Amino acid sequence: MRRWSPDRGQTEPLVALVAVFAVAVGLATYAGTLSSALPEAERNHARDVLPEVEAAATTNGVVDPATLRSALAAGPDGPSLAVTLSTAGERWHAGPEAPPDAETASTTVSVRVAPGAVRPGRLQVAVWR
């Protein structure tokens, strides 16, 4: 057969396309089987909500306990949300009491306890359905 034969150019691309198709189908099947065999990771919704609540309650890098009630609006629409702010001697809470099985997350923040007085504190959110 000659190098420029029209038969040679027609069969090789077809075989290559079939091989690429077979590999793609095999990978898709493998990925689908693998994803259904692995356990789903537990997602902590409180960890996702915490940055939004912190941003809503913070002004100039300081959390004012008076803003906790408005920070509840930063939470998700479906689940219930509770926000707790605490320092060494004081505690503020907004929202309903969280059940024992609620997902929680917390972070360290600066808390305005009086005009011109700022103390370290902890902002905690609890999310449940």
Side-chain angles (χ1 to χ4, degrees), residues 51-59 62-71 74 83 85 110 112 123:
E52 297 171 18
V53 170
E54 181 181 6
T58 303
T59 304
V62 178
V63 177
D64 187 349
T67 62
L68 286 185
R69 179 88 34 212
S70 62
V83 180
L85 180 65
S110 298
R112 179 178 294 120
L123 179 68

Side-chain angles (χ1 to χ4, degrees), residues 50 53 82-86 91 104-107 122-126:
L50 180 61
V53 170
V83 180
T84 304
L85 180 65
S86 58
R91 183 177 180 270
T104 60
S106 63
T107 187
R122 190 147 213 66
L123 179 68
Q124 180 180 20
V125 296

